[in-house]
Amino acid sequence: MEIYIGTPNERQKEFLRCEKKYIAFGGARGGGKSWAVRCKAKLLALRYPGIRLLLVRRTLPEIEANHLTFLRRELAGAAAYRAGERRFVFANGSSLQFGYCGSDRDAERYQGAEYDVIFFDEATQLQERWMRQLAACVRGVNGFPKRIYYTCNPGGPGHGYIKRLFIDRRYEPGENGEDYAFIPARVTDNRVLLARQPEYVKQLEALPPKLRAAWLEGKWDVLAGQVFQEFTDDPAHYEDRRYSHVIRPFRIPREWNVYRSYDFGYAKPFSCGWWAVDHDGCVYRIAELYGCTGTPDEGVLWTPEKQFAEIRRIEEEHPDLRGRTIHGVADPAIWDASRGESIYETALRHRIYFVKGDNQRIPGWMQMHYRMAFDGEGYPMLYVFENCRAFIRTVPGLLYSGTAPEDVDTSQEDHVADESRYFCMMRPIAPRTAEVRQIGDDPLNMAKKIF
């Protein structure tokens, strides 16, 4: 059986040859990603008789427009298309299935399915939890390669997940960095597109600056629709604390005030953060407890009793928390006693005290913006210790609501952000300018002196 696939460009060749378990391809618009995915799927189907392949996009119309329209012509005579199943079946027993995933219910439909290879086309348009759930379907005891391919552009709900794995290369327990490869591709790599649509580059160049940087240059640190675009995580500056919100942990001087912020959750994650405030009013997120199963936005189903027992334990054992008076702030909803004992009353039994947080959403987000702003020397008024992984994972990827301008889309994993804004509203500051902030004594040096 022979199928004509055409001539790939150099970046597409890298993608087709790569044998890592997890492979991401793209980073900018017009890099020839869809062609590369179809080509790789055909090659795998021909090389491994009986292999099972799945190609997923967010919606069925996208599947039809970007793949099925082409493949019905390209595979004519080589594979039979079963429209009811959205599947091509090859003469050698291989199959190429097409699916969509635009909701939690869609993701659940794949439970129990088994594939050798999955392609997530335009992966950043999918939720992280959907990709993780479908990735569990890649299994089997046969000798076929087990791989997951991602094509991607910056932006979308899956931006943070793809960026963490393939751009920042920050891995969680159970993730082996050696298994991941990122192959960048830009429109300038796609000679076929440039020949057919020479005006396409000019269209990208005419975009607003952030979109142009993402879609033309493939920059992942700018994201159209991202709420906290100023948030920066630069390991090169963890020590000097300039132009990075994430820094290396240090011991907190005993005279600094410490705060606790809390957002309740049960089926969704609960979030508790601890903050220290230095003599200049700069705040440091020094520790956190995040009630997530490991699957994004899935709560651990802890009762309030268990949550506050664990918060009390941490405050009695953590070297920067024990023995301190800790000021707490929480979502006003925990005072609701209409169905019996309120969540706050449960907290009181564990000697966990809160005041009601100011729940104005947009002013709260603005306070976070004001604190994240860098001054002329590159110093913000909000830092996050590198051990606070829930903040670092969830807050930078939050997107604006499509219906409420200036507000965060509440369908996202926004629990850490919510309790953070409660805290920031306790200590509001005015908008900052780019002037140099005068610092009498570097808190890191002070901490070294004291301890």
Side-chain angles (χ1 to χ4, degrees):
M1 182 189 307
E2 293 185 359
I3 299 175
Y4 176 72
I5 63 170
T7 303
N9 63 44
E10 292 305 312
R11 290 300 194 185
Q12 290 170 333
K13 287 179 183 177
E14 288 185 53
F15 174 77
L16 296 176
R17 290 169 177 164
C18 187
E19 295 184 352
K20 297 284 188 178
K21 185 173 182 180
Y22 306 100
I23 304 162
F25 182 55
R29 292 292 179 100
K33 301 184 297 296
S34 294
W35 181 92
V37 161
R38 292 195 301 273
C39 184
K40 188 63 180 181
K42 289 184 287 187
L43 291 174
L44 287 169
L46 293 177
R47 182 175 179 181
Y48 299 99
I51 195 170
R52 298 190 64 189
L53 312 168
L54 173 67
L55 194 157
V56 177
R57 282 196 65 143
R58 187 178 178 91
T59 69
L60 273 178
E62 291 173 341
I63 287 288
E64 179 67 37
N66 289 275
H67 296 292
L68 292 180
T69 297
F70 299 96
L71 286 173
R72 279 194 287 262
R73 180 178 66 251
E74 295 168 1
L75 293 177
Y81 181 60
R82 299 177 181 176
E85 303 172 6
R86 292 189 298 277
R87 183 162 65 108
F88 285 96
V89 179
F90 293 75
N92 64 2
S94 298
S95 65
L96 172 57
Q97 180 91 37
F98 293 85
Y100 61 94
C101 190
S103 67
D104 290 345
R105 179 174 295 181
D106 291 339
E108 290 168 1
R109 290 188 296 103
Y110 296 92
Q111 187 172 354
E114 189 173 299
Y115 298 96
D116 300 298
V117 176
I118 291 180
F119 298 88
F120 291 115
D121 194 23
E122 298 296 346
T124 48
Q125 298 305 310
L126 305 175
Q127 296 278 359
E128 175 182 348
R129 63 179 178 273
W130 304 339
M131 289 186 274
R132 285 180 178 267
Q133 193 167 338
L134 268 66
C137 299
V138 177
R139 61 185 187 271
V141 296
N142 55 49
F144 301 142
K146 300 296 182 286
R147 296 181 192 152
I148 299 179
Y149 295 89
Y150 307 80
T151 67
C152 49
N153 297 316
H159 173 100
Y161 180 57
I162 298 299
K163 182 175 182 288
R164 177 178 71 80
L165 292 174
F166 296 100
I167 309 302
D168 299 336
R169 297 188 65 82
R170 294 180 177 275
Y171 300 107
E172 298 176 351
E175 297 171 346
N176 180 5
E178 295 298 316
D179 290 336
Y180 295 81
F182 177 68
I183 300 168
R186 300 182 182 180
V187 66
T188 49
D189 298 311
N190 192 348
R191 297 186 302 273
V192 174
L193 177 62
L194 291 178
R196 292 178 179 175
Q197 292 181 258
E199 73 283 0
Y200 187 65
V201 173
K202 293 188 180 299
Q203 293 173 2
L204 294 178
E205 290 174 340
L207 291 170
K210 292 185 183 299
L211 273 180
R212 182 173 66 245
W215 290 0
L216 178 61
E217 302 169 28
K219 292 185 177 180
W220 287 81
D221 291 327
V222 293
L223 170 60
Q226 180 186 19
V227 177
F228 299 107
Q229 297 181 8
E230 59 270 74
F231 186 82
T232 304
D233 179 0
D234 186 351
H237 291 283
Y238 280 8
E239 297 292 344
D240 66 22
R241 301 181 298 113
R242 298 183 66 199
Y243 297 107
S244 180
H245 296 97
V246 182
I247 61 172
R248 200 84 64 205
F250 59 88
R251 292 296 301 276
I252 302 302
R254 297 301 298 183
E255 65 267 27
W256 289 10
N257 287 328
V258 174
Y259 296 79
R260 174 201 321 109
S261 53
Y262 174 76
D263 187 61
F264 175 73
Y266 181 73
K268 294 290 186 180
F270 70 87
S271 185
C272 184
W274 286 271
W275 306 80
V277 182
D278 71 15
H279 299 298
D280 297 298
C282 185
V283 303
Y284 302 77
R285 186 178 179 90
I286 61 175
E288 62 184 22
L289 175 64
Y290 192 53
C292 185
T293 63
T295 297
D297 211 24
E298 182 177 273
V300 290
L301 305 181
W302 284 13
T303 63
E305 185 78 29
K306 186 171 183 179
Q307 293 179 33
F308 295 123
E310 181 63 10
I311 289 171
R312 168 52 54 196
R313 184 194 67 77
I314 291 172
E315 293 186 354
E316 290 177 347
E317 297 179 3
H318 193 289
D320 287 321
L321 301 178
R322 63 175 176 243
R324 292 181 183 266
T325 297
I326 299 177
H327 311 277
V329 61
D331 183 349
I334 72 169
W335 274 264
D336 180 12
S338 61
R339 300 180 183 179
E341 181 179 271
S342 70
I343 294 170
Y344 179 59
E345 290 174 298
T346 305
L348 291 177
R349 289 208 307 273
H350 293 272
R351 293 175 290 117
I352 304 293
Y353 306 103
F354 296 106
V355 297
K356 293 182 179 180
D358 187 333
N359 204 16
Q360 297 181 83
R361 294 178 61 82
I362 294 175
W365 303 136
M366 293 310 300
Q367 281 299 315
M368 292 180 67
H369 283 301
Y370 297 160
R371 286 195 169 274
M372 288 186 189
F374 293 109
D375 68 12
E377 292 295 310
Y379 294 104
M381 291 293 284
L382 182 152
Y383 288 105
V384 180
F385 280 10
E386 64 175 325
N387 53 281
C388 294
R389 305 309 305 173
F391 187 106
I392 296 168
R393 179 178 69 83
T394 64
V395 172
L398 292 174
L399 303 177
Y400 282 111
S401 168
T403 57
E406 305 302 328
D407 199 0
V408 169
D409 182 346
T410 58
S411 68
Q412 302 168 98
E413 195 173 357
D414 58 358
H415 320 291
V416 175
D418 280 340
E419 47 99 342
S420 297
R421 67 179 166 86
Y422 302 149
F423 168 68
C424 287
M425 288 291 280
M426 284 186 78
R427 302 184 62 89
I429 63 173
R432 305 181 71 211
T433 68
E435 296 177 358
V436 177
R437 179 168 65 97
Q438 298 297 323
I439 300 178
D441 195 358
D442 187 312
L444 288 178
N445 291 332
M446 182 190 301
K448 292 175 183 176
K449 294 175 186 175
I450 294 173
F451 295 98

